[in-house]
Amino acid sequence: MLATRSVLKTVAQNPVVFRNITSVPAFGVRHFNATRKTQEQCAAAESELLRQQRKLRPVSPHLTIYQPQITWYLSGAHRITGVAVGGAFYLSALAYLAAPALGYTVDTASIVSAAAAAPFAAKVVAKTTLAAPFVFHSLNGVRHLLWDIGKCLDIKSVYTSGYAVLAGTAAGSLYLALM
């Protein structure tokens, strides 16, 4: 009985520490009520914990750790030019087919006469705009075909072929633009 009184005295003095004690039997065993949280409270606590952890996560190190490489740029440019060349082809084919239904005359003679009437600088700019993506995508496609058969896969060859594609693109685009 003396043990029970000392426990009750301790509980009375520290109500915050011992708030979950429901009863103290004479033989000294303590029973604690487990604090039960609802599912919403648990979900809210987990969500808050996750939010706090996300604040401490580092931002992607892509721009701070890795140095830009020609392979990144050429890979992205290859995809972009593929979409651009394919999209331009399909849009021009659809425009060519839809023009008579819309009351426009689009045939080879009208295209040639419109191009002939344009100033020389406009012709060069238009031809370069059309030629550069096509030439780049074609040359880089050949480079990828070489990789597919197992050629030019070492680092030096990858960089050499990348710069060769860029030089070939510049030369081929100017050649086609000035024709």
Side-chain angles (χ1 to χ4, degrees):
M1 194 66 157
L2 185 60
T4 304
R5 285 187 186 156
S6 67
V7 169
L8 290 175
K9 185 177 177 184
T10 307
V11 170
Q13 291 171 352
N14 301 312
V16 175
V17 175
F18 296 100
R19 69 175 171 248
N20 292 328
I21 296 178
T22 55
S23 66
V24 181
F27 52 85
V29 178
R30 297 181 188 140
H31 293 279
F32 292 92
N33 274 343
T35 8
R36 297 178 191 242
K37 294 183 178 179
T38 64
Q39 287 181 345
E40 295 85 18
Q41 289 172 333
C42 288
E46 289 174 0
S47 177
E48 178 62 25
L49 178 64
L50 229 105
R51 196 172 62 76
Q52 294 299 325
Q53 288 175 345
R54 285 183 180 146
K55 286 181 180 178
L56 301 175
R57 286 184 189 159
V59 181
S60 172
H62 179 75
L63 297 176
T64 57
I65 292 177
Y66 303 111
Q67 292 180 352
Q69 301 173 6
I70 189 172
T71 52
W72 298 1
Y73 293 123
L74 294 184
S75 175
H78 185 74
R79 294 169 190 209
I80 291 168
T81 57
V83 169
V85 169
F89 173 76
Y90 283 115
L91 286 176
S92 62
L94 288 173
Y96 187 78
L97 290 174
L102 298 173
Y104 295 105
T105 305
V106 178
D107 56 0
T108 308
S110 63
I111 293 172
V112 168
S113 65
F120 179 75
K123 290 180 201 177
V124 171
V125 168
K127 290 196 289 186
T128 304
T129 303
L130 293 173
F134 179 77
V135 171
F136 173 79
H137 192 75
S138 299
L139 293 177
N140 207 39
V142 170
R143 180 176 176 230
H144 278 272
L145 288 174
L146 286 172
W147 289 352
D148 288 343
I149 61 172
K151 305 288 184 192
C152 302
L153 289 175
D154 60 292
I155 296 296
K156 184 178 179 185
S157 297
V158 167
Y159 276 86
T160 303
S161 63
Y163 289 118
V165 164
L166 291 176
T169 299
S173 299
L174 286 176
Y175 173 76
L176 291 174
L178 296 175
M179 273 178 57

Coordinates of all heavy atoms in Angstrom, one line a residue, residues 10 53 59 64 66 87 108-109 125 129:
T10 N 3.6 10.8 -6.8 CA 4.4 11.2 -7.9 C 3.5 11.7 -9.1 O 3.8 12.6 -9.8 CB 5.3 10.1 -8.3 OG1 6.0 9.6 -7.2 CG2 6.3 10.5 -9.4
Q53 N 10.8 17.1 -44.6 CA 11.9 16.4 -45.2 C 12.2 16.9 -46.6 O 13.4 17.0 -47.0 CB 11.7 14.9 -45.3 CG 11.7 14.2 -43.9 CD 11.3 12.8 -44.0 OE1 10.8 12.3 -45.0 NE2 11.7 12.0 -42.9
V59 N 18.6 20.2 -54.1 CA 18.0 20.5 -55.5 C 18.9 19.6 -56.4 O 20.0 19.2 -56.1 CB 18.1 22.0 -55.8 CG1 17.5 22.2 -57.2 CG2 17.4 22.8 -54.8
T64 N 25.0 21.9 -61.2 CA 26.2 22.3 -60.3 C 27.3 21.3 -60.3 O 28.4 21.6 -60.1 CB 25.7 22.5 -58.9 OG1 25.0 21.3 -58.4 CG2 24.7 23.6 -58.8
Y66 N 27.6 18.4 -62.8 CA 28.0 17.9 -64.2 C 28.3 19.1 -65.1 O 27.6 20.1 -65.1 CB 26.9 17.0 -64.7 CG 26.6 15.9 -63.9 CD1 25.3 15.8 -63.2 CD2 27.4 14.8 -63.7 CE1 25.0 14.7 -62.4 CE2 27.1 13.8 -62.9 CZ 25.9 13.7 -62.3 OH 25.6 12.6 -61.5
G87 N 7.4 17.3 -88.4 CA 6.2 18.2 -88.3 C 6.0 19.1 -89.5 O 4.9 19.3 -90.0
T108 N 3.1 23.6 -108.0 CA 4.5 23.8 -108.2 C 4.8 25.2 -108.8 O 5.7 25.9 -108.4 CB 5.1 22.7 -109.0 OG1 4.7 21.5 -108.4 CG2 6.6 22.8 -109.1
A109 N 4.0 25.6 -109.8 CA 4.2 26.8 -110.5 C 4.0 28.0 -109.6 O 4.8 29.0 -109.7 CB 3.2 26.9 -111.7
V125 N 17.8 33.0 -96.2 CA 17.4 32.7 -94.8 C 16.3 31.6 -94.8 O 16.4 30.7 -93.9 CB 16.8 34.0 -94.2 CG1 16.0 33.7 -92.9 CG2 17.9 35.1 -94.0
T129 N 17.0 28.0 -93.0 CA 16.0 27.6 -92.0 C 15.5 26.2 -92.3 O 15.3 25.4 -91.4 CB 14.9 28.6 -91.9 OG1 15.4 29.9 -91.6 CG2 13.9 28.2 -90.8

